[in-house]
Amino acid sequence: MKKTHFLVSMLALALFSSCQNGDENDNESRGSQEVHSKTVNVTNHDGRPFSTGSGSINGKFVSGPGGGVLMQGFYWDVPDGGNWWNTVKGKLTDWSNAGISAVWLPPASKAQNGAYSMGYDPTDYYDFGNFNQNGSVETRFGSRTELEALITKAHAENMQVYADIVINHNSGGQSQANPFTGTSTWTDFSGVASGKFQRSYNDFYKNSYGNNDEGAFGGFPDLCHANPYVQDWLWGRDDSVGKYYKNVMKFDGWRFDYVKGFGPWVVNNWNSNVGGFSVGELWDSNVNTLEWWANNANSSVFDFAAYYKMDEAFDNGNLNVLNDDMMWKRNPYKAVTFVANHDTDIINNKMPAYAYILTHEGYPTIFYRDYEEWLNKERLNNLIWIHNNKATGTTSILYTDNDEYIARRNGYNGNPGLVVYINNSSSWQERWIETNWSSQQIKDFTGNSSWYPTTQGDKWVKIQAPPNSYSIWSLNQ
């Protein structure tokens, strides 16, 4: 859901020089370097969609050992006019070739503002741009036929498609007398054009089931999930919203909007009855709250704890905060990491943040405008490749200070893992670190350093990182 504090950062980051300092054969003793090492007790995340194989074959994505990457396929106020589904469809092959395994779409059904709505004010869950209601046939994004063509194309590219699901509130109903409020409320949805999931005042709070649930949003009628009729239409019956989206429209998963507005049992029941990948938008930086919700919802959750720590680290010059707790450290299988989205965009120094989420555990998300408009696509594609092919195993934090952060992915099932070195300072930095590899040559897969050092027999080696940038090291193979 769009938040009032939405900020837009249109910082276009310049390519950093790939020049290097020092001698790649430098045998300086590491004894003069103070190295702090911390192992994060988390399991590696190899359970995301399309978690086997590697590379891209004829434009069809097959993820490598590191798993897949999610693309948020929209931003707030994408162009209206009904062409967005076609726009996204036209990019799927390039995204697949880049190593992106799934795309998250905006709310696809007809909303109160019809052809002008971003979809977060839903009226008829079964109108995908094929009924003339709320002033238009098509949605802002296009027609049902165009949406189905997009989903078919994504599946042909071996990519999954996630639907943005708004079930906290509805909008666009007609006025009716409401005995529970003693007033008239906009809760009459008996005339929805699809004829499915017709609603009235007793399907919204306050009603015979109570006065309220966990939260309402924006003055919209607050859907009552305690009502068995609502449950049946959302996930129970064969033509419920969830099952229709999955079995008829062929969506593969769900991004649940504003899950603070209802109990985690709602998403748990949806997932149990419908299936598919799911992630909740629980806008909270408290990692305990995120973990509690994810466990009770049986769902992934966006890692807002990591998001705010990255802002402090990369924008405010305090990389030490990356030692703090985050959802991906608690449970990487249920953590979806991100640098920006359609609601919030507070991180200005984005490339180090993408280097962070694409080398660490969790399921990383790329924001459409960062990829297609604002940042350097070649550098992002490089990070996606590194993620898919090298980012395996548990994570050990090797060194942190205000300006430098070094972490090691310890490898998994024969994959060598990597070492990422992020440097916020204005000069080249070097550190001795302990790797996964004994007496083997390594290289920086970003190309920012031209060193090709060989690790010592005890696995130690000196690496470097360019100013205001990063390097990512693994076996030269």
Side-chain angles (χ1 to χ4, degrees):
M1 179 59 61
K2 184 70 171 174
K3 307 300 189 296
T4 57
H5 57 277
F6 173 59
L7 301 175
V8 176
S9 166
M10 297 188 67
L11 179 65
L13 299 181
L15 278 170
F16 293 107
S17 168
S18 62
C19 64
Q20 68 289 336
N21 293 342
D23 182 356
E24 65 189 72
N25 296 315
D26 190 341
N27 291 316
E28 170 189 352
S29 169
R30 68 174 183 272
S32 63
Q33 301 278 358
E34 182 181 6
V35 179
H36 307 279
S37 179
K38 171 186 170 186
T39 297
V40 182
N41 293 318
V42 288
T43 58
N44 77 291
H45 188 99
D46 290 301
R48 294 189 295 274
F50 306 118
S51 60
T52 60
S54 63
S56 178
I57 304 170
N58 297 326
K60 292 180 173 58
F61 173 80
V62 182
S63 89
V69 175
L70 172 61
M71 172 67 75
Q72 179 174 1
F74 66 101
Y75 53 93
W76 194 258
D77 283 347
V78 300
D80 57 27
N83 200 47
W84 190 250
W85 296 145
N86 291 332
T87 297
V88 172
K89 179 188 172 189
K91 297 182 180 297
L92 291 174
T93 297
D94 287 343
W95 292 353
S96 172
N97 286 336
I100 292 165
S101 62
V103 56
W104 153 29
L105 299 181
S109 62
K110 189 69 62 64
Q112 180 178 7
N113 288 319
Y116 301 100
S117 176
M118 282 296 296
Y120 291 94
D121 49 342
T123 298
D124 188 341
Y125 289 103
Y126 296 85
D127 179 0
F128 298 93
N130 51 306
F131 292 103
N132 188 358
Q133 65 180 329
N134 293 359
S136 68
V137 175
E138 291 191 348
T139 67
R140 183 188 193 100
F141 314 114
S143 69
R144 174 171 176 156
T145 298
E146 290 164 342
L147 172 60
E148 290 175 322
L150 184 165
I151 296 171
T152 298
K153 174 67 172 177
H155 290 159
E157 298 290 348
N158 207 19
M159 297 172 68
Q160 293 196 331
V161 184
Y162 303 154
D164 203 315
I165 297 293
V166 184
I167 56 173
N168 176 72
H169 51 270
N170 291 166
S171 188
Q174 300 301 306
S175 178
Q176 63 180 168
N178 189 329
F180 295 99
T181 64
T183 63
S184 292
T185 54
W186 300 96
T187 49
D188 181 3
F189 292 82
S190 61
V192 290
S194 69
K196 294 180 178 292
F197 195 15
Q198 298 174 340
R199 287 143 280 162
S200 67
Y201 57 77
N202 202 44
D203 302 314
F204 300 89
Y205 289 107
K206 65 182 186 181
N207 57 10
S208 61
Y209 295 91
N211 292 334
N212 59 272
D213 58 0
E214 281 77 1
F217 185 87
F220 294 121
D222 188 25
L223 199 59
C224 174
H225 304 95
N227 186 337
Y229 174 83
V230 172
Q231 297 176 24
D232 202 32
W233 269 107
L234 286 181
W235 62 74
R237 50 191 292 154
D238 289 343
D239 61 344
S240 64
V241 174
K243 291 176 183 176
Y244 193 93
Y245 273 57
K246 186 171 189 287
N247 300 327
V248 178
M249 300 303 294
K250 303 301 183 183
F251 282 101
D252 304 289
W254 330 104
R255 179 266 187 190
F256 289 98
D257 180 67
Y258 191 63
V259 298
K260 280 190 173 183
F262 47 89
W265 65 269
V266 172
V267 172
N268 195 325
N269 274 271
W270 178 295
N271 289 338
S272 297
N273 283 273
V274 180
F277 174 82
S278 77
V279 57
E281 182 217 19
L282 186 71
W283 199 316
D284 199 308
S285 63
N286 187 316
V287 68
N288 293 319
T289 304
L290 297 173
E291 183 181 35
W292 167 84
W293 186 90
N295 288 341
N296 283 278
N298 189 28
S299 172
S300 296
V301 66
F302 284 108
D303 195 346
F304 277 93
Y307 176 70
Y308 287 109
K309 293 301 179 184
M310 287 191 294
D311 178 44
E312 185 176 350
F314 302 123
D315 285 348
N316 299 318
N318 183 16
L319 268 60
N320 278 314
V321 302
L322 299 178
N323 287 308
D324 292 352
D325 206 0
M326 305 174 195
M327 184 61 194
W328 72 259
K329 297 181 183 182
R330 294 282 184 95
N331 188 343
Y333 292 98
K334 292 183 176 179
V336 177
T337 52
F338 67 102
V339 173
N341 63 32
H342 65 293
D343 280 332
T344 179
D345 194 1
I346 63 173
I347 298 174
N348 293 311
N349 194 13
K350 286 184 174 180
M351 286 306 303
Y354 275 113
Y356 181 83
I357 69 169
L358 286 161
T359 55
H360 284 65
E361 293 165 86
Y363 188 6
T365 307
I366 308 291
F367 181 45
Y368 180 95
R369 300 198 85 168
D370 286 342
Y371 188 81
E372 292 292 343
E373 300 176 16
W374 293 342
L375 303 183
N376 184 285
K377 187 180 293 188
E378 183 178 353
R379 295 183 71 198
L380 285 172
N381 284 344
N382 170 250
L383 289 173
I384 293 167
W385 185 92
I386 290 169
H387 170 270
N388 291 351
N389 291 280
K390 302 293 183 182
T392 63
T394 56
T395 300
S396 299
I397 297 175
L398 303 180
Y399 180 86
T400 59
D401 61 26
N402 284 344
D403 292 327
E404 298 174 61
Y405 173 87
I406 307 175
R408 184 180 71 223
R409 292 296 297 276
N410 294 311
Y412 176 77
N413 198 28
N415 185 279
L418 57 80
V419 173
V420 56
Y421 190 166
I422 301 175
N423 175 18
N424 256 13
S425 77
S426 58
S427 60
W428 281 82
Q429 299 296 329
E430 302 173 0
R431 292 282 170 191
W432 280 92
I433 52 96
E434 185 176 13
T435 71
N436 300 321
W437 320 294
S438 176
S439 303
Q440 296 186 77
Q441 188 182 72
I442 64 173
K443 73 174 184 178
D444 171 20
F445 277 81
T446 72
N448 287 330
S449 171
S450 64
W451 283 9
Y452 287 81
T454 297
T455 62
Q456 298 180 163
D458 60 0
K459 303 182 180 180
W460 284 77
V461 71
K462 187 167 76 170
I463 60 175
Q464 62 172 189
N468 299 304
S469 191
Y470 53 85
S471 56
I472 303 171
W473 305 79
S474 190
L475 293 184
N476 184 20
Q477 62 183 30

